Amino acid sequence: MSKFEERIFGIENSGQFEAAALELFRFQSQNCAVYREYIGRAGIDPSQVRRAEDIPMLPVELFKHADVYCGDCPPEEVFTSSSTSGTGLSRHPMFSLEHYERAFTESFRRFYGEPSRYGLYALLPNYLSRKGSSLVYMCDRLIKACGSGGFYLDRYDRLLDDMARDPKPKILLGVSYALWELAERFAPPLSDTVVMETGGMKGRREELPKEDFHAILCQAFGVSQIHSEYGMAELTSQAYSCGGGIFRCPPWMKVYIRDINDPFDHLTEGARGGIDIIDLANCRSCAFISVQDTGRCFGDGSFTVEGRIDRSDIRGCNLLVQ
C-alpha cells in the first residue's frame, strides 16, 4: 500500500478520487477485520460495490469497541478521543506519524498556505490535559512549522500579550468554550488574526446555534468571520471552514449525507441527515466512516455540520455491538 499512500496526496479530481476509493475499499474489506465482519453481517458483497458513494460506512462507535486496523506492523501511535459523552474512548491506531503529519500539513497548505507565514496560538485546555490527542499532536507540529505561537491553558492575559508582540499574521485555534470565555472576560480586538474554533463546548457551556456563537465571537474579537476546523480522533484528515459554517475537504476526503434511519441510503444534495466521510488518508485503519454529526452537503463538495445524532437513532453499529 505504500505507493497508494503516496498517490492519495496527488488526487485532484473526482475521477481520481473514485478510483482510489474503490481500490482502498477492496483492500480494507479484506484486510480490516472489523470492517470485513461488519460488511459480512450487513449482507454486502464487496464485489458488487462499483461506486464510491455505495461503499458501506463503518459506524464510528466501533472504534470504541475494537482495533480498527489493517497495518502489517504495529502502529507508531494510538490516538484517542476526548470521550465527553461518557461512553468510552475511541482508539485510532496510526501506522505512521510521518503519514499523519503529511496529511494535516498538506491540508493546511491548501486552505491557508505555508505554515511559516503564521503564528499559531492554540487554546485547547481540555485536550492538553490528557494523552493521545491527535489535535494536540497536529498543533504541536504546525506551531513548530510556523515558528511562533504556542499552547495556552487559562492564561488568557499571557496569550493576548504574546499575540500582540507577534508581527506575523496569526491563527487563534481554540476549543469553542475557551474562545467564548476569552471573549466574555477580555473582549480583545484582534488584528491580523484568523479566529478558528474546534471541538464544541465539551459540556462546559451552553450549546448555541453556530450562527449565534460565531456572532458573539465576531463582536468580541472585531473580526468579520469565524473559521472552523472539523476533525476527530478517528480521522487522519481535517476539513476547514473559512466562514459561514461551510466546510471544504482536501481532495482525498469526501462527505456524503445518509438517511438517519437507513445507514446505507445516501441523500440528495441539500438534504439534512447523518454525515458519512471517506478519508483516504485512513489507509491502514478504515477510510469509510459514519459519524454522529448531522449536516448537509452541496454540489461543490462543501458541507455543513448542524448537530449531533442521539445514540438511540444509530442502527448500523448494532450489527456488531450487542
Side-chain angles (χ1 to χ4, degrees):
M1 293 296 291
S2 58
K3 290 183 179 179
F4 179 88
E5 291 149 10
E6 179 70 24
R7 180 157 49 92
I8 62 169
F9 297 118
I11 290 174
E12 293 292 348
N13 58 56
S14 59
Q16 292 172 339
F17 178 89
E18 183 86 5
L22 289 170
E23 179 183 346
L24 187 56
F25 169 66
R26 307 291 178 221
F27 174 80
Q28 292 185 341
S29 65
Q30 296 178 22
N31 293 284
C32 179
V34 175
Y35 190 43
R36 182 176 65 243
E37 183 180 358
Y38 177 74
I39 292 170
R41 293 200 182 193
I44 295 169
D45 179 357
S47 68
Q48 299 304 306
V49 177
R50 299 185 173 89
R51 302 184 305 168
E53 65 181 285
D54 295 330
I55 293 173
M57 303 287 168
L58 186 74
V60 72
E61 280 205 338
L62 292 177
F63 281 79
K64 298 178 181 178
H65 301 284
D67 287 330
V68 182
Y69 191 59
C70 52
D72 51 9
C73 59
E76 289 190 4
E77 183 63 86
V78 177
F79 292 123
T80 58
S81 67
S82 56
S83 187
T84 53
S85 65
T87 58
L89 294 177
S90 286
R91 301 172 72 256
H92 185 191
M94 183 60 60
F95 76 99
S96 166
L97 290 173
E98 181 181 0
H99 174 78
Y100 179 50
E101 289 179 30
R102 181 167 184 189
F104 66 66
T105 303
E106 292 280 351
S107 185
F108 184 92
R109 284 193 184 111
R110 286 177 178 270
F111 291 97
Y112 295 100
E114 287 298 323
S116 59
R117 293 176 49 201
Y118 298 93
L120 178 60
Y121 294 80
L123 189 56
L124 304 169
N126 59 311
Y127 291 93
L128 289 172
S129 64
R130 65 179 185 84
K131 294 181 178 180
S133 168
S134 57
L135 179 61
V136 168
Y137 187 95
M138 178 183 80
C139 288
D140 179 67
R141 295 311 188 269
L142 287 177
I143 287 167
K144 288 179 171 64
C146 289
S148 65
F151 288 101
Y152 296 81
L153 290 171
D154 55 0
R155 290 291 306 277
Y156 299 136
D157 50 351
R158 180 180 172 187
L159 165 69
L160 296 173
D161 287 345
D162 289 350
M163 290 180 66
R165 286 194 295 265
D166 191 341
K168 295 198 296 185
K170 290 162 283 291
I171 295 175
L172 173 59
L173 172 60
V175 66
S176 298
Y177 77 84
L179 288 176
W180 195 351
E181 186 170 341
L182 177 67
E184 279 188 341
R185 290 178 54 185
F186 291 87
L190 301 176
S191 62
D192 206 11
T193 300
V194 169
V195 179
M196 183 184 299
E197 56 97 2
T198 189
M201 296 300 173
K202 302 298 181 185
R204 307 290 185 92
R205 300 290 297 258
E206 174 190 0
E207 292 285 351
L208 293 180
K210 282 292 185 183
E211 316 86 73
D212 296 344
F213 176 57
H214 286 188
I216 291 171
L217 297 186
C218 284
Q219 182 175 7
F221 298 140
V223 296
S224 59
Q225 295 279 3
I226 301 299
H227 293 218
S228 302
E229 182 263 354
Y230 183 79
M232 58 190 69
E234 300 87 353
L235 298 176
T236 302
S237 304
Q238 303 78 34
Y240 289 96
S241 167
C242 294
I246 304 296
F247 289 89
R248 290 177 171 80
C249 300
W252 57 88
M253 181 181 180
K254 187 175 177 63
V255 164
Y256 299 92
I257 301 298
R258 70 183 182 277
D259 186 328
I260 290 176
N261 296 309
D262 183 354
F264 304 107
D265 180 23
H266 282 149
L267 304 179
T268 57
E269 175 185 346
R272 186 176 187 271
I275 291 177
D276 284 353
I277 300 172
I278 297 180
D279 179 7
L280 298 181
N282 271 21
C283 43
R284 298 297 182 102
S285 53
C286 182
F288 314 100
I289 302 176
S290 283
V291 304
Q292 296 177 7
D293 295 318
T294 64
R296 306 172 197 268
C297 65
F298 307 102
D300 63 355
S302 63
F303 67 100
T304 62
V305 181
E306 300 181 2
R308 299 281 288 173
I309 301 172
D310 185 271
R311 292 182 70 242
S312 64
D313 291 331
I314 301 170
R315 291 175 49 192
C317 63
N318 293 331
L319 290 170
L320 287 184
V321 182
Q322 304 298 328

PDB file of all heavy atoms in Angstrom, residues 42-60:
ATOM      1  N   ALA A  42     -23.779  -7.211   7.395  1.00  0.00           N
ATOM      2  CA  ALA A  42     -24.750  -6.383   6.681  1.00  0.00           C
ATOM      3  C   ALA A  42     -25.224  -7.048   5.389  1.00  0.00           C
ATOM      4  O   ALA A  42     -26.131  -6.544   4.727  1.00  0.00           O
ATOM      5  CB  ALA A  42     -24.140  -5.024   6.365  1.00  0.00           C
ATOM      6  N   GLY A  43     -24.606  -8.173   5.015  1.00  0.00           N
ATOM      7  CA  GLY A  43     -25.009  -8.900   3.807  1.00  0.00           C
ATOM      8  C   GLY A  43     -24.569  -8.233   2.521  1.00  0.00           C
ATOM      9  O   GLY A  43     -25.220  -8.391   1.487  1.00  0.00           O
ATOM     10  N   ILE A  44     -23.450  -7.514   2.577  1.00  0.00           N
ATOM     11  CA  ILE A  44     -22.965  -6.785   1.405  1.00  0.00           C
ATOM     12  C   ILE A  44     -21.841  -7.568   0.741  1.00  0.00           C
ATOM     13  O   ILE A  44     -20.900  -8.018   1.410  1.00  0.00           O
ATOM     14  CB  ILE A  44     -22.472  -5.384   1.808  1.00  0.00           C
ATOM     15  CG1 ILE A  44     -23.648  -4.552   2.323  1.00  0.00           C
ATOM     16  CG2 ILE A  44     -21.782  -4.676   0.641  1.00  0.00           C
ATOM     17  CD1 ILE A  44     -23.246  -3.257   2.980  1.00  0.00           C
ATOM     18  N   ASP A  45     -21.938  -7.741  -0.563  1.00  0.00           N
ATOM     19  CA  ASP A  45     -20.897  -8.391  -1.360  1.00  0.00           C
ATOM     20  C   ASP A  45     -19.968  -7.305  -1.894  1.00  0.00           C
ATOM     21  O   ASP A  45     -20.373  -6.510  -2.742  1.00  0.00           O
ATOM     22  CB  ASP A  45     -21.530  -9.162  -2.515  1.00  0.00           C
ATOM     23  CG  ASP A  45     -20.502  -9.858  -3.400  1.00  0.00           C
ATOM     24  OD1 ASP A  45     -19.288  -9.702  -3.159  1.00  0.00           O
ATOM     25  OD2 ASP A  45     -20.925 -10.565  -4.339  1.00  0.00           O
ATOM     26  N   PRO A  46     -18.722  -7.241  -1.401  1.00  0.00           N
ATOM     27  CA  PRO A  46     -17.825  -6.164  -1.856  1.00  0.00           C
ATOM     28  C   PRO A  46     -17.639  -6.111  -3.362  1.00  0.00           C
ATOM     29  O   PRO A  46     -17.431  -5.034  -3.923  1.00  0.00           O
ATOM     30  CB  PRO A  46     -16.508  -6.486  -1.138  1.00  0.00           C
ATOM     31  CG  PRO A  46     -16.918  -7.241   0.081  1.00  0.00           C
ATOM     32  CD  PRO A  46     -18.099  -8.062  -0.350  1.00  0.00           C
ATOM     33  N   SER A  47     -17.713  -7.244  -4.039  1.00  0.00           N
ATOM     34  CA  SER A  47     -17.502  -7.259  -5.491  1.00  0.00           C
ATOM     35  C   SER A  47     -18.607  -6.537  -6.246  1.00  0.00           C
ATOM     36  O   SER A  47     -18.433  -6.178  -7.416  1.00  0.00           O
ATOM     37  CB  SER A  47     -17.388  -8.697  -5.997  1.00  0.00           C
ATOM     38  OG  SER A  47     -18.629  -9.377  -5.867  1.00  0.00           O
ATOM     39  N   GLN A  48     -19.750  -6.309  -5.579  1.00  0.00           N
ATOM     40  CA  GLN A  48     -20.875  -5.638  -6.223  1.00  0.00           C
ATOM     41  C   GLN A  48     -20.876  -4.133  -5.996  1.00  0.00           C
ATOM     42  O   GLN A  48     -21.745  -3.420  -6.514  1.00  0.00           O
ATOM     43  CB  GLN A  48     -22.196  -6.234  -5.726  1.00  0.00           C
ATOM     44  CG  GLN A  48     -22.368  -7.716  -6.031  1.00  0.00           C
ATOM     45  CD  GLN A  48     -22.241  -8.011  -7.516  1.00  0.00           C
ATOM     46  OE1 GLN A  48     -22.936  -7.399  -8.344  1.00  0.00           O
ATOM     47  NE2 GLN A  48     -21.355  -8.934  -7.871  1.00  0.00           N
ATOM     48  N   VAL A  49     -19.929  -3.637  -5.220  1.00  0.00           N
ATOM     49  CA  VAL A  49     -19.839  -2.196  -4.952  1.00  0.00           C
ATOM     50  C   VAL A  49     -18.979  -1.567  -6.047  1.00  0.00           C
ATOM     51  O   VAL A  49     -17.785  -1.839  -6.144  1.00  0.00           O
ATOM     52  CB  VAL A  49     -19.232  -1.925  -3.570  1.00  0.00           C
ATOM     53  CG1 VAL A  49     -19.069  -0.418  -3.342  1.00  0.00           C
ATOM     54  CG2 VAL A  49     -20.120  -2.529  -2.472  1.00  0.00           C
ATOM     55  N   ARG A  50     -19.593  -0.720  -6.862  1.00  0.00           N
ATOM     56  CA  ARG A  50     -18.898  -0.186  -8.031  1.00  0.00           C
ATOM     57  C   ARG A  50     -18.789   1.338  -8.049  1.00  0.00           C
ATOM     58  O   ARG A  50     -18.224   1.911  -8.963  1.00  0.00           O
ATOM     59  CB  ARG A  50     -19.596  -0.657  -9.311  1.00  0.00           C
ATOM     60  CG  ARG A  50     -19.587  -2.183  -9.456  1.00  0.00           C
ATOM     61  CD  ARG A  50     -20.174  -2.627 -10.790  1.00  0.00           C
ATOM     62  NE  ARG A  50     -20.015  -4.050 -10.980  1.00  0.00           N
ATOM     63  CZ  ARG A  50     -20.889  -4.969 -10.573  1.00  0.00           C
ATOM     64  NH1 ARG A  50     -21.995  -4.586  -9.927  1.00  0.00           N
ATOM     65  NH2 ARG A  50     -20.673  -6.252 -10.789  1.00  0.00           N
ATOM     66  N   ARG A  51     -19.363   2.011  -7.043  1.00  0.00           N
ATOM     67  CA  ARG A  51     -19.259   3.469  -6.939  1.00  0.00           C
ATOM     68  C   ARG A  51     -18.841   3.843  -5.530  1.00  0.00           C
ATOM     69  O   ARG A  51     -19.230   3.186  -4.561  1.00  0.00           O
ATOM     70  CB  ARG A  51     -20.594   4.140  -7.251  1.00  0.00           C
ATOM     71  CG  ARG A  51     -21.176   3.843  -8.622  1.00  0.00           C
ATOM     72  CD  ARG A  51     -22.447   4.656  -8.845  1.00  0.00           C
ATOM     73  NE  ARG A  51     -23.423   4.426  -7.781  1.00  0.00           N
ATOM     74  CZ  ARG A  51     -24.518   5.168  -7.588  1.00  0.00           C
ATOM     75  NH1 ARG A  51     -24.749   6.208  -8.370  1.00  0.00           N
ATOM     76  NH2 ARG A  51     -25.356   4.889  -6.600  1.00  0.00           N
ATOM     77  N   ALA A  52     -18.072   4.910  -5.407  1.00  0.00           N
ATOM     78  CA  ALA A  52     -17.614   5.326  -4.088  1.00  0.00           C
ATOM     79  C   ALA A  52     -18.786   5.622  -3.160  1.00  0.00           C
ATOM     80  O   ALA A  52     -18.738   5.291  -1.968  1.00  0.00           O
ATOM     81  CB  ALA A  52     -16.718   6.549  -4.211  1.00  0.00           C
ATOM     82  N   GLU A  53     -19.850   6.228  -3.679  1.00  0.00           N
ATOM     83  CA  GLU A  53     -20.973   6.595  -2.815  1.00  0.00           C
ATOM     84  C   GLU A  53     -21.734   5.375  -2.312  1.00  0.00           C
ATOM     85  O   GLU A  53     -22.522   5.478  -1.363  1.00  0.00           O
ATOM     86  CB  GLU A  53     -21.926   7.537  -3.536  1.00  0.00           C
ATOM     87  CG  GLU A  53     -22.635   6.940  -4.722  1.00  0.00           C
ATOM     88  CD  GLU A  53     -23.550   7.962  -5.382  1.00  0.00           C
ATOM     89  OE1 GLU A  53     -24.626   8.244  -4.827  1.00  0.00           O
ATOM     90  OE2 GLU A  53     -23.167   8.481  -6.439  1.00  0.00           O
ATOM     91  N   ASP A  54     -21.507   4.197  -2.901  1.00  0.00           N
ATOM     92  CA  ASP A  54     -22.170   2.977  -2.452  1.00  0.00           C
ATOM     93  C   ASP A  54     -21.315   2.164  -1.486  1.00  0.00           C
ATOM     94  O   ASP A  54     -21.755   1.108  -1.010  1.00  0.00           O
ATOM     95  CB  ASP A  54     -22.532   2.106  -3.660  1.00  0.00           C
ATOM     96  CG  ASP A  54     -23.555   2.769  -4.570  1.00  0.00           C
ATOM     97  OD1 ASP A  54     -24.370   3.555  -4.057  1.00  0.00           O
ATOM     98  OD2 ASP A  54     -23.522   2.517  -5.790  1.00  0.00           O
ATOM     99  N   ILE A  55     -20.118   2.619  -1.200  1.00  0.00           N
ATOM    100  CA  ILE A  55     -19.268   1.903  -0.248  1.00  0.00           C
ATOM    101  C   ILE A  55     -19.905   1.945   1.143  1.00  0.00           C
ATOM    102  O   ILE A  55     -20.286   3.023   1.613  1.00  0.00           O
ATOM    103  CB  ILE A  55     -17.862   2.530  -0.210  1.00  0.00           C
ATOM    104  CG1 ILE A  55     -17.143   2.297  -1.554  1.00  0.00           C
ATOM    105  CG2 ILE A  55     -17.030   1.951   0.935  1.00  0.00           C
ATOM    106  CD1 ILE A  55     -15.816   3.015  -1.667  1.00  0.00           C
ATOM    107  N   PRO A  56     -20.058   0.807   1.813  1.00  0.00           N
ATOM    108  CA  PRO A  56     -20.650   0.829   3.162  1.00  0.00           C
ATOM    109  C   PRO A  56     -19.726   1.510   4.159  1.00  0.00           C
ATOM    110  O   PRO A  56     -18.504   1.366   4.105  1.00  0.00           O
ATOM    111  CB  PRO A  56     -20.826  -0.659   3.492  1.00  0.00           C
ATOM    112  CG  PRO A  56     -19.875  -1.374   2.601  1.00  0.00           C
ATOM    113  CD  PRO A  56     -19.762  -0.562   1.344  1.00  0.00           C
ATOM    114  N   MET A  57     -20.340   2.277   5.057  1.00  0.00           N
ATOM    115  CA  MET A  57     -19.595   3.063   6.038  1.00  0.00           C
ATOM    116  C   MET A  57     -19.614   2.374   7.409  1.00  0.00           C
ATOM    117  O   MET A  57     -20.662   1.910   7.859  1.00  0.00           O
ATOM    118  CB  MET A  57     -20.200   4.464   6.161  1.00  0.00           C
ATOM    119  CG  MET A  57     -20.250   5.222   4.844  1.00  0.00           C
ATOM    120  SD  MET A  57     -18.622   5.793   4.321  1.00  0.00           S
ATOM    121  CE  MET A  57     -18.974   6.281   2.617  1.00  0.00           C
ATOM    122  N   LEU A  58     -18.476   2.338   8.057  1.00  0.00           N
ATOM    123  CA  LEU A  58     -18.356   1.729   9.373  1.00  0.00           C
ATOM    124  C   LEU A  58     -18.815   2.726  10.436  1.00  0.00           C
ATOM    125  O   LEU A  58     -18.308   3.850  10.490  1.00  0.00           O
ATOM    126  CB  LEU A  58     -16.900   1.334   9.620  1.00  0.00           C
ATOM    127  CG  LEU A  58     -16.606   0.550  10.901  1.00  0.00           C
ATOM    128  CD1 LEU A  58     -17.096  -0.888  10.761  1.00  0.00           C
ATOM    129  CD2 LEU A  58     -15.117   0.575  11.219  1.00  0.00           C
ATOM    130  N   PRO A  59     -19.755   2.364  11.305  1.00  0.00           N
ATOM    131  CA  PRO A  59     -20.163   3.279  12.379  1.00  0.00           C
ATOM    132  C   PRO A  59     -18.972   3.663  13.255  1.00  0.00           C
ATOM    133  O   PRO A  59     -18.210   2.806  13.713  1.00  0.00           O
ATOM    134  CB  PRO A  59     -21.191   2.466  13.166  1.00  0.00           C
ATOM    135  CG  PRO A  59     -21.734   1.486  12.171  1.00  0.00           C
ATOM    136  CD  PRO A  59     -20.569   1.126  11.301  1.00  0.00           C
ATOM    137  N   VAL A  60     -18.826   4.942  13.505  1.00  0.00           N
ATOM    138  CA  VAL A  60     -17.657   5.438  14.225  1.00  0.00           C
ATOM    139  C   VAL A  60     -17.571   4.862  15.638  1.00  0.00           C
ATOM    140  O   VAL A  60     -16.484   4.741  16.209  1.00  0.00           O
ATOM    141  CB  VAL A  60     -17.663   6.980  14.247  1.00  0.00           C
ATOM    142  CG1 VAL A  60     -18.739   7.516  15.178  1.00  0.00           C
ATOM    143  CG2 VAL A  60     -16.302   7.548  14.590  1.00  0.00           C
TER     144      VAL A  60
END
